[in-house]
Amino acid sequence: MATLIIGNKNYSSWSLRPWLLLKEMGIEFDEIMLQLDSEEFQQRIGDYSPARRVPVLRHNDHVIWDSLAIAEYLNDAFPEKQLWPKEVKARILARAVTCEMHSGFSALRQSMPMNCRATKRKVDMYDNLQSDIDRIITIWTKCRESYAQRGPWLFGQFSIADAMYAPVVFRFVTYQVKLPEVAQKYLDFVLSRPAMQEWKQAASYEKEVLEQEEVGI
């Protein structure tokens, strides 16, 4: 049995990514939630992660931290789940846009933190933020237009790329980002997934409030 250690579901975008992967893969796992920015977190995180960060996956005596490292581990551990597109061209693009999300979009992260409970928030749309949003729209649109015939995910079938962009779905809903038709259709599909609804419902039950994450009016 795998164990995934995560932070608050309302705020922890990095935790959502491997959690969604496991859910969409149909892999059973135990879940341990540590409240972010709390004394409990500081006391317990060292028991699970040498990096002292979430998410962390424990599986078959392995300890894997960082969401992308966890995703790659799951791809290796469960090759039958095909977490990258089979076609070489699609796989190259999927890895590129995944790594772009993993290392980029700093304006989006800072100005639109994931906050699943919040609705109808507004933030100042400065140039760098708009550029990040435009780039994501471009990625979603290109992928969907290229692979729509293969299924409803970015590359047709579910992949690591979809898990990496899942927190953006919640962000765009929270901050009322207007999207063109193709990108909106993708967002609506991802948001409708049972796993995403389960995460959102669990986030709504959490009582903790992190003031630095409560952005917008």
Side-chain angles (χ1 to χ4, degrees), residues 42-140:
Q42 295 303 322
Q43 291 175 346
R44 298 181 60 191
I45 188 59
D47 296 334
Y48 302 112
S49 170
R52 299 186 63 81
R53 294 181 178 180
V54 290
V56 186
L57 179 69
R58 301 172 71 96
H59 183 246
N60 290 346
D61 297 324
H62 301 301
V63 179
I64 311 98
W65 58 97
D66 184 275
S67 60
L68 186 53
I70 293 170
E72 290 286 12
Y73 170 79
L74 292 172
N75 183 60
D76 290 342
F78 302 94
E80 72 280 5
K81 300 298 183 179
Q82 196 69 53
L83 292 179
W84 289 118
K86 189 174 183 179
E87 181 195 9
V88 173
K89 184 177 180 180
R91 188 164 66 249
I92 290 170
L93 179 58
R95 283 197 166 110
V97 299
T98 291
C99 291
E100 185 175 354
M101 170 50 68
H102 188 261
S103 62
F105 301 106
S106 59
L108 181 78
R109 298 181 197 283
Q110 294 171 8
S111 300
M112 292 182 169
M114 192 177 83
N115 188 337
C116 301
R117 288 192 305 249
T119 59
K120 298 182 179 179
R121 294 285 177 93
K122 294 182 179 181
V123 297
D124 292 333
M125 197 62 65
Y126 60 96
D127 289 347
N128 288 348
L129 176 57
Q130 187 63 59
S131 293
D132 279 0
I133 292 170
D134 291 345
R135 176 58 186 153
I136 290 170
I137 290 172
T138 297
I139 290 170
W140 287 5

